[in-house]
Amino acid sequence: MNKFGLLLCSLLISGTSVMFGQIEKNIKISEVMTNNTANVQDEYGQCKAWIEIANISHTTYNIRGMYITTNRAVLNKELSVPERVKMMSVIPNGENRTNLGGHQHLLFYCNSKPAQGSLHLSVPVDSGKPTWVALYNGNGINLIDSVTVPALEANQSYALVKN
């Protein structure tokens, strides 16, 4: 009986890990604007580069604690987790909007100061150059999604076309 309980417990744990991995695959970088001069404004009336994260599933998923980065150095497998996390911006806790329902999205402002609000991240974006954007899960190790955005004209966005 003890072996059966152990087997059942291990199956439940592995099934949960697979389920969370599958849910994370439904979180996408859906649109990026690196040269925002007159498009979306933040709550201070400023136009900043932004990254839109979308939940393409029908299930609600909370993205708080995930990381966004534009620094390709995080791809170095020899980095420790703390070294990698220092090159990323965390999606903050305590923000109700990070609980994305099915087919919802959320904008995060880049080149900003997190003190300006929970949707303001210090992710650096250079409007005149191609930009690699990556979304990592809360452990700072597993890449959920990434996209290379070409240099864009003012107020032009780069968007996910097919889910």
Side-chain angles (χ1 to χ4, degrees):
M1 188 69 167
N2 194 12
K3 289 181 183 178
F4 177 73
L6 183 61
L7 177 65
L8 181 61
C9 183
S10 65
L11 285 173
L12 286 172
I13 290 171
S14 65
T16 303
S17 299
V18 170
M19 181 181 75
F20 282 120
Q22 292 299 321
I23 290 173
E24 285 181 348
K25 295 296 180 191
N26 291 318
I27 305 301
K28 299 288 182 192
I29 299 168
S30 57
E31 193 169 2
V32 178
M33 182 175 284
T34 57
N35 191 3
N36 181 12
T37 62
N39 194 282
V40 176
Q41 294 182 352
D42 67 8
E43 58 271 35
Y44 301 101
Q46 298 175 339
C47 295
K48 297 182 179 194
W50 50 262
I51 298 168
E52 180 185 74
I53 305 296
N55 177 359
I56 62 170
S57 75
H58 296 289
T59 306
T60 298
Y61 189 77
N62 201 325
I63 61 172
R64 74 175 161 236
M66 290 184 170
Y67 294 93
I68 297 176
T69 188
T70 56
N71 189 340
R72 283 186 178 269
V74 299
L75 296 171
N76 181 348
K77 301 271 187 219
E78 294 180 17
L79 289 174
S80 68
V81 173
E83 290 171 323
R84 183 175 287 118
V85 167
K86 284 182 185 176
M87 295 182 252
M88 301 178 181
S89 288
V90 66
I91 296 173
N93 289 324
E95 171 58 61
N96 291 334
R97 293 175 286 184
T98 61
N99 199 32
L100 294 180
H103 298 281
Q104 286 186 329
H105 61 273
L106 187 58
L107 284 181
F108 291 95
Y109 299 100
C110 306
N111 298 330
S112 194
K113 295 178 183 147
Q116 290 183 300
S118 56
L119 302 182
H120 291 261
L121 304 177
S122 59
V123 176
V125 173
D126 186 342
S127 64
K129 297 181 181 178
T131 304
W132 178 74
V133 179
L135 178 67
Y136 278 81
N137 74 352
N139 66 15
I141 298 171
N142 298 334
L143 179 65
I144 295 171
D145 194 21
S146 70
V147 62
T148 299
V149 179
L152 299 171
E153 298 294 321
N155 303 309
Q156 187 179 39
S157 69
Y158 191 77
L160 177 68
V161 175
K162 187 176 184 183
N163 295 337

